[in-house]
Amino acid sequence: MKFQIQRDRLVDGVNDVIKAVSSRTAIPILSGIKITAHDEGITLTGSDSDISIESFIPKEEDGKEIVHVEQTGGIVLQAKFFESIVKKLPLDTVEIEVHSHLQTVIRSGKSEFNLNGQDVSEYPRLPEIEEDSVLKIPTNLLKTMIRQTVFAVSASETRPILTGVNWTVEDGMLNCVATDSHRLAMRKAPINGGNGEPYKAVIPGKSLNELNKILDDTADETEIVMTENQVLFRAKHVLFFSRLLEGNYPDTSRLVPSESKTEMTIGGKDFLQAIDRASLLAREERNNVVKLHISEEGGVQISSNTPEIGKVVEEVQSDATTGEELTISFSAKYMMDALKVLEGAETNIQFTGAMRPFVLRPTGDDSILQLITPVRTY
């Protein structure tokens, strides 16, 4: 194998695939990056057997040559060394050549590295996915949907299914739900393609976080193919495979209350800053709880009291409040996470009592919902 390539494009490709490479792996060859040179260009692959990422660098783009392949072939190189070398090479072009006994030479300018490679035939094959039905969604919308739900997955492995986001596709709508049993995030949007059949998949939160780092924020469509135990995302030059979580996701539809006793409409950004201030004194504790009081007259007050540190009280200006008087305590972190993904929009919050979960939605938009369970304070 021998080829020359633009260094910046190689760096971009390595940055993408290295997100799937784990230093601690049961299969030693997976600590490497697979490089294959073929007639169309160069393909880089990284995998930790849960996530696999393939990045393709074409021979030319917009009439400019990016890769010049002199001899096709493949090699697996240690990811952490290869990444460091490529980033620090002196010139804009790199030549990579494999000699006998898998000895690989990386040249740029007057700099020359010799790396011991591994046999490319020993690298595990990527999952074969039957593409009988392809779903399509604009990439920037996909990124937003992931960001607005993935933060609510559970960090604890006691219920592994809750460490993923539940994706359902039905009647041309994609619905994403994540919960850690203390809070819930839901986002839905129209999706194209498919063969009319409903789909269900629980995608690990870790996979979605990595996918979000790789995808470009463009209106181009990303293709999605779901099977029994794998999902494939295909963007411009990247293939992203992830295994799915096994098991049944709990039915979350009944968690969302259908009616409310107290309702409040408030500017998301101001409310977020007020919660942030109220949580300053409670930050030392793990649960940083703040208290919200809505009076019969419609006044809104946020407070927090930590006896050994001090207390804070703030009156907040709401746009409208209706219903019963209410005092409720909740985690400041959960509330701030929810308000951040609503992006400062005017927010409608519906309460059904001091001990019942409450719901946040942007005013006039039912495609996104955040639900938070209150904290008991005695």
Side-chain angles (χ1 to χ4, degrees):
M1 180 177 90
K2 183 177 181 182
F3 64 88
Q4 293 86 30
I5 184 168
Q6 298 290 333
R7 188 176 69 96
D8 54 348
R9 291 300 292 266
L10 183 60
V11 170
D12 291 345
V14 170
N15 282 343
D16 283 349
V17 300
I18 203 154
K19 291 181 171 64
V21 179
S22 160
S23 50
R24 301 184 302 277
T25 168
I27 310 169
I29 200 161
L30 288 184
S31 62
I33 289 178
K34 173 174 143 183
I35 306 161
T36 37
H38 38 86
D39 294 336
E40 286 82 53
I42 305 295
T43 303
L44 305 172
T45 309
S47 176
D48 66 359
S49 66
D50 283 347
I51 300 174
S52 303
I53 303 171
E54 187 174 287
S55 176
F56 171 65
I57 304 166
K59 262 187 150 165
E60 55 176 58
E61 204 170 65
D62 306 329
K64 286 203 314 222
E65 187 178 56
I66 299 164
V67 181
H68 176 66
V69 178
E70 288 187 30
Q71 190 185 0
T72 58
I75 192 77
V76 179
L77 297 176
Q78 277 299 316
K80 67 171 198 271
F81 297 118
F82 184 59
E83 179 197 29
S84 309
I85 290 168
V86 167
K87 284 184 175 167
K88 295 185 176 177
L89 287 173
L91 294 188
D92 291 341
T93 53
V94 183
E95 180 175 272
I96 296 178
E97 184 176 1
V98 180
H99 293 290
S100 53
H101 308 303
L102 308 173
Q103 283 295 312
T104 306
V105 181
I106 303 169
R107 286 189 204 92
S108 180
K110 291 190 162 52
S111 164
E112 181 172 302
F113 286 86
N114 274 288
L115 275 187
N116 300 331
Q118 288 167 283
D119 188 350
V120 75
S121 63
E122 290 174 17
Y123 197 87
R125 303 267 309 263
L126 285 184
E128 296 281 321
I129 285 194
E130 296 282 317
E131 295 197 18
D132 53 348
S133 165
V134 178
L135 299 160
K136 295 179 180 175
I137 190 166
T139 307
N140 46 12
L141 175 59
L142 175 63
K143 282 177 71 93
T144 303
M145 291 183 78
I146 292 172
R147 200 185 71 249
Q148 290 175 336
T149 50
V150 74
F151 70 90
V153 300
S154 172
S156 132
E157 289 288 341
T158 45
R159 289 182 70 189
I161 196 82
L162 295 185
T163 62
V165 181
N166 189 33
W167 283 33
T168 48
V169 177
E170 206 166 359
D171 303 328
M173 289 296 279
L174 167 63
N175 194 6
C176 305
V177 175
T179 180
D180 60 4
S181 72
H182 301 293
R183 56 172 167 181
L184 176 143
M186 187 279 296
R187 173 71 207 264
K188 58 183 184 211
I191 191 164
N192 304 320
N195 53 12
E197 284 182 27
Y199 289 92
K200 264 198 173 82
V202 184
I203 305 175
K206 178 173 156 261
S207 302
L208 291 170
N209 277 322
E210 296 303 345
L211 174 66
N212 234 9
K213 291 176 195 164
I214 291 174
L215 292 175
D216 293 329
D217 212 350
T218 64
D220 297 344
E221 288 195 324
T222 294
E223 297 182 345
I224 305 169
V225 184
M226 291 187 199
T227 65
E228 283 289 297
N229 51 12
Q230 288 277 342
V231 60
L232 161 65
F233 295 89
R234 188 190 298 117
K236 193 176 171 192
H237 289 314
V238 178
L239 296 181
F240 184 102
F241 297 85
S242 169
R243 74 175 177 93
L244 300 176
L245 293 175
E246 291 169 16
N248 289 328
Y249 202 81
D251 175 21
T252 52
S253 57
R254 59 187 200 322
L255 297 175
V256 180
S258 51
E259 79 261 337
S260 67
K261 294 181 179 167
T262 313
E263 207 167 308
M264 169 171 89
T265 305
I266 194 161
K269 193 173 170 202
D270 298 342
F271 192 47
L272 171 62
Q273 290 169 346
I275 298 280
D276 198 5
R277 284 189 288 275
S279 71
L280 289 173
L281 300 186
R283 208 125 301 143
E284 297 308 306
E285 288 180 33
R286 201 170 45 86
N287 54 356
N288 61 20
V289 175
V290 298
K291 188 183 278 181
L292 173 75
H293 177 72
I294 301 175
S295 67
E296 278 183 3
E297 295 76 53
V300 179
Q301 186 189 67
I302 298 172
S303 60
S304 172
N305 184 5
T306 310
E308 62 274 22
I309 302 171
K311 63 181 184 182
V312 51
V313 177
E314 180 169 347
E315 299 287 334
V316 186
Q317 189 57 48
S318 74
D319 299 338
T321 54
T322 53
E324 302 172 5
E325 185 171 352
L326 174 80
T327 303
I328 190 167
S329 300
F330 48 79
S331 153
K333 181 186 179 302
Y334 285 0
M335 180 61 105
M336 284 157 60
D337 285 346
L339 288 166
K340 277 174 191 160
V341 299
L342 299 180
E343 295 174 338
E346 186 182 62
T347 304
N348 178 269
I349 309 179
Q350 296 180 326
F351 303 93
T352 42
M355 282 297 135
R356 303 295 303 279
F358 57 93
V359 175
L360 296 84
R361 291 184 181 90
T363 310
D365 177 5
D366 65 348
S367 72
I368 177 167
L369 171 150
Q370 303 286 331
L371 176 133
I372 298 174
T373 312
V375 176
R376 288 173 187 270
T377 52
Y378 299 106

